[in-house]
Amino acid sequence: MDQLFAPWRIEWIKRDEKNSDVDGCVFCAFPEREDDRENLLVARSDHAFVLLNNYPYSPGHVMVIPRAHTGEYADLTDDQLLDHARLKQRTFEAAETALEPDGFNAGLNLGEGAGGSIGDHLHTHIVPRWQGDTNFMPVIGDSSVIVQALEETYDQLHEAFAAQEGATVPGAGRAVVFE
Ligand SMILES: [Zn+2]
């Protein structure tokens, strides 16, 4: 059972000094910034965005995050729910195209008992899985290699999102936008 639940215990962590200056909620701060690629923010819609996990369980481990700052699923409006679901759908499609996994784990941590570390802002983990895979981070180890792997995965996912219907890319280093 440990393996089944392991992906949900791996949360977003501060990658470098620059991010340690975020007061309050990182999931509220990141969409406001200019440099999406540096922040690993790969796609955004009206009410949600997709962020690569800094500590991926597997390559392509992302979080689909509603823009609304709440930890209560019941707080999301119909528009926010639909937009979040639609962005999850796009994320599965982009990951399938870019990474060709054998399957996915996907889910939310709700409440303190569920093991999430950023409990006050909802986020859905999407974890691509391959037959016989093991936790990617212990396999890689070296942090400079991890950053490089994250950037490569970012570019692969970005290209796949950008090829989807309704996608626009506002500029270099910017996330794919869905209107
Ligand atoms: Zn927040």
Side-chain angles (χ1 to χ4, degrees):
M1 294 302 279
D2 268 2
Q3 265 200 323
L4 180 60
F5 290 105
W8 323 125
R9 288 204 296 263
I10 298 168
E11 290 290 331
W12 196 91
I13 58 170
K14 287 173 178 170
R15 185 156 57 108
D16 52 38
E17 287 295 308
K18 188 173 59 64
N19 294 332
S20 64
D21 65 4
V22 174
D23 287 329
C25 179
V26 290
F27 293 161
C28 285
F30 276 32
E32 303 298 326
R33 293 184 176 179
E34 290 286 307
D35 193 338
D36 291 327
R37 188 173 185 270
E38 189 152 316
N39 291 304
L40 300 173
L41 197 161
V42 67
R44 53 173 96 226
S45 56
D46 287 348
H47 298 293
F49 60 98
V50 183
L51 192 67
L52 270 71
N53 200 305
N54 248 339
Y55 192 86
Y57 182 84
S58 73
H61 178 178
V62 300
M63 293 167 296
V64 184
I65 306 172
R67 291 288 299 264
H69 180 82
T70 178
E72 298 292 332
Y73 204 63
D75 285 352
L76 297 182
T77 65
D78 286 356
D79 281 352
Q80 291 167 342
L81 283 168
L82 181 61
D83 187 77
H84 184 241
R86 183 76 182 107
L87 194 57
K88 283 189 283 189
Q89 192 180 44
R90 290 185 179 282
T91 301
F92 288 127
E93 187 187 326
E96 273 174 4
T97 302
L99 306 169
E100 301 182 343
D102 296 320
F104 292 96
N105 293 122
L108 287 164
N109 295 317
L110 293 174
E112 285 180 15
S117 66
I118 304 180
D120 53 359
H121 196 137
L122 291 167
H123 51 286
T124 300
H125 289 265
I126 291 182
V127 183
R129 302 298 301 268
W130 288 263
Q131 300 286 353
D133 63 10
T134 53
N135 189 340
F136 177 66
M137 294 292 288
V139 174
I140 293 189
D142 184 314
S143 63
S144 62
V145 178
I146 291 161
V147 170
Q148 191 189 344
L150 283 168
E151 286 172 354
E152 279 172 22
T153 305
Y154 181 95
D155 291 340
Q156 288 174 295
L157 287 173
H158 191 279
E159 188 181 343
F161 274 117
Q164 291 181 9
E165 204 176 319
T168 55
V169 180
R174 301 309 307 268
V176 177
V177 175
F178 295 101
E179 306 265 351

